[in-house]
């Protein structure tokens, strides 16, 4: 009974972990902020955020366009992640009161000149969207699916306007079709139709807001659970002279219950055009509770693809695990236990190839200092990603906390510096090094220095475009302080602790004279084997990589960290196993220069990541501006560099463990 009880005790935590991961694969999160109750008539603060475009990837402040402004513009406090994302949250002139529905509320009247008209046209050309926030919920535009029973798809923000041609048939069509059919004729130009007419620009100047709330019957208060909008373009008209205090429109009049339901006569953007901005507010009772209000935003409709990705990756892992198991059985069981019982001379040569290089296998590599630095940086990355994913799976990095993920990763990177210093110095001391301070300094400075140089160039390009995505000098100073004020000292502390520990002893002695490496077969060429080694780790993650790139560059939510954690675990195993397999083949061919090759074998997957990012750029994105393209490839270069450091370190430690294991288990004469 004892073995069965022990197996049950082992299976219980494994099942528990898998249950947590499967639940985490679906959008589990903690709300992140305390709920706010509103009584009838309570004022609701509507805030405006940045203007975003997937065509330019350059965010702009809302008030860079001549929209209606409040009497005084007030900036909201932003965390470090929000600033780096380009968020600029400010108050707005929209006046909402809980439960108080409004119809045809006039916001302001603007008369465009050539400069402001050009500004609107440029943003419409680049398909910019306006982002707003109410009670920490982002504004969304619901798009109904073809399957009417399925829940709608939500797009973040509404377009500033649309570009196309007014065909003159909208007034007729809207009687039998929704207003979107009218807009279909306005944008036919984008598909190459109706080229006979001049292209025009139309602005969304009437917003029909829907605020969804969940009412508490006991306290008679309500909590906001949804914030939606339907944008319209309407050329408003009025009788007589304009009265700022009591404007009365003929195109939208609450007294006659004449409201905007379509875009029959859209508002053009042109010089000297008079634009009247209006809005409606409707309040709808909802069964959705406050704790679940983000579920609609995070609705995952393609979970089968993610499971396919997991199964695909598991097949790769099982294949590699079989090879590793076979190698371990052969090396540890046959080579070590029955070394003198080999049946044929041919088998002896095959089986003893790795043993012949025992006197050179632990000889320090060339550029060993640089290897120590890269390994330490990889440990820092691994710690940051692991802790971030654990917090995300447990729901602490709520989507309602804008910029929280980026802030958490930056802070974790800084505090993981102690492990970077420790790992790099331990390896350095194993190589018989003595100048630990030099290694500590290079570990603390090299990778952040390269990233900072690229980031500074990209930030200068963003500054040149006058985008809100440019990092201000105050934030730049805060980043430098985190680097030199916290990260660098922690790296030195870790290095000091690591250097004070006894050096790691090699399991076998190293010969004084290096052994000559025999001529290798073509398939054991370092460049070839390194490039081959990176294919499988990349193949384990490339499907999930598509969704990550989509969330980053197409402005969508990504909150399926359960799937991501499973893929990350599979990536770790794949990197370790492919490196062990190729390292074994290398040692069997009497090539003992495995240190750098083990790092580069799994690290080469970063090359495929960058190539895939290039493929994604040309097939999925519509970026045409040179600056936007430079931003994309600059940031993807940083991401690929980080991926190289992470995967290379995993492969290196796996190979180090493997070689120490097999050479410590065999008796050397």
């Amino acid at each position: 009974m004892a073995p069965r009880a022990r197996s049950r005790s082992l299976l219980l935590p494994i099942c528990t972990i898998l249950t947590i991961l499967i639940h985490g694969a679906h959008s589990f999160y903690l709300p992140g902020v305390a709920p706010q109750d509103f009584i009838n008539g309570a004022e609701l603060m509507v805030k405006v955020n940045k203007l975003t475009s997937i065509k330019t990837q350059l965010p702009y402040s809302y008030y860079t366009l001549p929209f209606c402004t409040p009497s005084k513009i007030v900036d909201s406090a932003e965390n470090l992640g929000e600033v780096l994302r380009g968020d600029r949250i400010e108050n707005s002139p929209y006046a909402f009161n809980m439960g108080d529905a409004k119809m045809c509320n006039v916001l302001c009247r603007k008369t465009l000149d050539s400069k402001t008209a050009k500004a609107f046209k440029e943003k419409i050309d680049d398909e910019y969207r306006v982002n707003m926030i109410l009670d920490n919920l982002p504004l969304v535009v619901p798009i109904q699916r073809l399957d009417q029973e399925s829940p709608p798809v939500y797009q973040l923000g509404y377009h500033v306007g649309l570009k196309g041609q007014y065909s003159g048939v909208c007034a007729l069509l809207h009687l039998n079709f929704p207003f979107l059919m009218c807009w279909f004729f306005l944008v036919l130009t984008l598909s190459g139709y109706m080229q006979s007419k001049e292209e025009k620009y139309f602005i969304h100047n009437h917003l029909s807001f829907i605020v969804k709330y969940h009412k508490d019957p006991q306290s008679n208060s309500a909590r906001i659970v949804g914030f939606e909008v339907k944008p319209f373009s309407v050329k408003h008209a009025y009788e007589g002279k304009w009265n700022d205090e009591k404007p009365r429109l003929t195109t939208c009049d609450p007294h006659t219950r004449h409201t905007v339901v379509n875009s029959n006569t859209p508002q053009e953007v042109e010089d000297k055009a008079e634009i009247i901005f209006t809005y409606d507010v409707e309040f709808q009772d909802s069964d959705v509770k406050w704790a679940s209000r983000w579920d609609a935003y995070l609705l995952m409709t393609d979970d089968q693809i993610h499971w396919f990705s997991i199964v695909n990756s598991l097949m790769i892992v099982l294949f590699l695990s079989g090879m590793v198991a076979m190698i371990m059985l052969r090396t540890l069981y046959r080579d070590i236990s029955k070394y003198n019982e080999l049946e044929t001379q041919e088998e002896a040569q095959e089986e003893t190839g790795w043993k012949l290089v025992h006197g050179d296998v632990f000889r320090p590599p060339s550029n060993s200092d640089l290897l120590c630095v890269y390994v330490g940086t990889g440990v820092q990355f691994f710690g940051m990603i692991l802790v971030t994913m654990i917090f995300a799976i447990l729901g602490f990095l709520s989507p309602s906390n804008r910029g929280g993920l980026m802030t958490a990763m930056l802070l974790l990177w800084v505090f993981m510096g102690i492990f970077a210093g420790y790992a790099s110095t331990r390896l350095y001391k194993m190589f018989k090094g003595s100048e630990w301070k030099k290694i500590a300094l290079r570990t603390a400075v090299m990778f952040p220095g390269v990233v900072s140089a690229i980031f500074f160039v990209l930030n200068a390009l963003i500054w040149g475009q006058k985008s809100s995505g440019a990092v201000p000098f105050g934030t730049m100073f805060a980043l430098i302080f985190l680097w030199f004020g916290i990260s660098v000292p922690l790296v030195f502390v870790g290095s000091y602790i690591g250097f004070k520990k006894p050096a790691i002893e090699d399991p076998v002695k190293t010969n004084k004279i290096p052994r000559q490496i025999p001529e290798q077969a073509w398939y054991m060429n370092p460049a070839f084997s390194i490039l081959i080694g990176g294919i499988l780790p990349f193949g384990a993650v490339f499907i999930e990589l598509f969704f990550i790139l989509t969330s980053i560059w197409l402005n969508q939510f990504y909150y399926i960290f359960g799937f991501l954690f499973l893929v990350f675990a599979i990536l770790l195993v794949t990197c370790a196993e492919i490196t062990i397999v190729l390292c074994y083949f290398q040692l069997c061919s009497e090539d003992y220069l495995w240190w750098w090759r083990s790092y580069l074998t799994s690290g080469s997957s970063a090359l495929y990541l960058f190539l895939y990012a290039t493929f994604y750029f040309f097939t999925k994105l519509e970026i045409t501006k040179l600056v936007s393209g430079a931003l994309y490839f600059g940031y993807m270069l940083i991401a690929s560099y980080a991926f190289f450091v992470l995967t290379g370190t995993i492969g290196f430690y796996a190979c180090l463990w493997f070689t120490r294991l097999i050479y410590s288990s065999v008796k050397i004469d």
Side-chain angles (χ1 to χ4, degrees), residues 26-54:
H26 302 281
S27 304
F28 170 75
Y29 62 93
L30 299 177
V33 293
Q36 190 170 357
D37 296 321
F38 299 95
I39 60 174
N40 278 340
E43 183 181 3
L44 305 179
M45 296 295 296
V46 180
K47 298 180 180 180
V48 291
N49 200 351
K50 60 188 175 183
L51 306 174
T52 55
S53 167
I54 61 174

